Amino acid sequence: MFQHIHPYEPFFPDRATKLIVGTLPPPRFTVGKLKKGDVDFCYGSSSGLLWPVLDRIFDLDLLFENTQQAIDQRKNFLISRDIGICDIVHSCEREKVDASDLGMQHIKLRDLITYLKQYPKIDTLLFTGGNSKNGPEYFFRKHIKEYKLSLEIVSNEVPRIHSFLLDGRKIKTVSLTAPSGAANRSIGSLQLYKELKNINPEFNTIDFRVRQYKDFF
């Protein structure tokens, strides 16, 4: 059984107002065997799409390589935009060594509510995935039950938006379309994507994420 432990501590700028919440990076980040094009930081997988999408939205001219400069670029961007990253899964076990959310077993979650209390300016959680089993929203719903909290629906359109109250403070959650290739099929089935594709046949799934993400970042 592979022990899949999150390799990165949560990243919190002092004035953080938004928090990116996912699950775990691929297992190779835990064991330090990175591929060409990987960046040794949150969402640094060469096949991941979060940073390519943000690069397009903000014209960041990011490097996609295993260097300190590439890491610093991402940290400086997050600090400049008051955005933190705190994936909700601390660790899990896997029979098959892959990045599948469904393959996670014996899952230990991070205590996001305690972090939110430590950073009182955070008013938005950006889930990099929805409420499907072992997705970030799914785990967050499970986590906040321990605090007798629950999500209230704000918008049921993709990306789905909820809110909850924490000590009288209203926090919004946005379940973004996952920045992974595995989500491309679900994007392709969306009516909005089909309409945009009909208007512009060159429109693709990355364009769709850029269009969605820029409204929340």
Side-chain angles (χ1 to χ4, degrees):
M1 191 75 78
F2 176 72
Q3 301 291 324
H4 191 178
I5 300 170
H6 203 301
Y8 305 117
E9 290 296 317
F11 183 84
F12 284 98
D14 290 338
R15 298 177 298 177
T17 60
K18 298 176 182 177
L19 191 64
I20 299 170
V21 181
T23 53
L24 280 166
R28 67 180 182 275
F29 286 81
T30 293
V31 297
K33 294 183 178 179
L34 275 59
K35 294 181 178 179
K36 182 179 180 181
D38 285 342
V39 179
D40 194 9
F41 186 62
C42 305
Y43 297 90
S45 171
S46 56
S47 61
L49 297 173
L50 177 64
W51 287 112
V53 167
L54 294 178
D55 192 35
R56 278 185 50 181
I57 293 171
F58 294 100
D59 294 322
L60 300 176
D61 197 24
L62 293 177
L63 297 172
F64 291 86
E65 59 188 27
N66 187 11
T67 63
Q68 186 61 45
Q69 184 179 358
I71 296 170
D72 291 343
Q73 284 181 325
R74 286 153 177 79
K75 289 183 176 181
N76 291 337
F77 164 75
L78 294 169
I79 292 169
S80 72
R81 304 290 301 188
D82 299 325
I83 300 172
I85 298 179
C86 184
D87 289 339
I88 193 166
V89 178
H90 168 71
S91 65
C92 70
E93 295 181 351
R94 295 183 181 275
E95 291 184 6
K96 183 179 179 182
V97 184
D98 61 18
S100 163
D101 283 344
L102 291 177
M104 292 189 282
Q105 302 178 37
H106 306 120
I107 299 153
K108 294 182 180 179
L109 301 180
R110 285 173 167 166
D111 189 351
L112 257 67
I113 293 299
T114 294
Y115 284 121
L116 290 174
K117 289 180 178 181
Q118 293 173 5
Y119 292 88
K121 292 183 179 180
I122 293 175
D123 58 19
T124 305
L125 304 184
L126 300 171
F127 296 135
T128 56
N131 193 32
S132 56
K133 186 176 180 181
N134 290 1
E137 181 192 325
Y138 173 90
F139 283 134
F140 187 74
R141 286 176 178 274
K142 186 176 181 180
H143 170 53
I144 63 176
K145 282 182 180 178
E146 300 174 12
Y147 289 89
K148 295 182 171 55
L149 301 173
S150 61
L151 297 182
E152 301 295 330
I153 187 72
V154 175
S155 171
N156 205 30
E157 295 183 5
V158 175
R160 292 180 176 84
I161 300 173
H162 297 81
S163 68
F164 66 100
L165 288 176
L166 178 62
D167 298 333
R169 162 181 156 213
K170 190 172 185 178
I171 299 176
K172 177 174 71 174
T173 73
V174 182
S175 296
L176 298 168
T177 300
S180 64
N184 288 343
R185 182 176 296 179
S186 63
I187 293 175
S189 68
L190 293 173
Q191 184 60 35
L192 176 59
Y193 178 78
K194 293 175 181 178
E195 292 172 359
L196 294 169
K197 186 79 170 175
N198 284 334
I199 295 170
N200 176 13
E202 295 184 0
F203 188 81
N204 59 37
T205 54
I206 295 180
D207 296 328
F208 182 84
R209 289 182 179 88
V210 168
R211 185 179 186 276
Q212 182 186 104
Y213 285 29
K214 68 181 180 181
D215 289 339
F216 301 101
F217 278 90

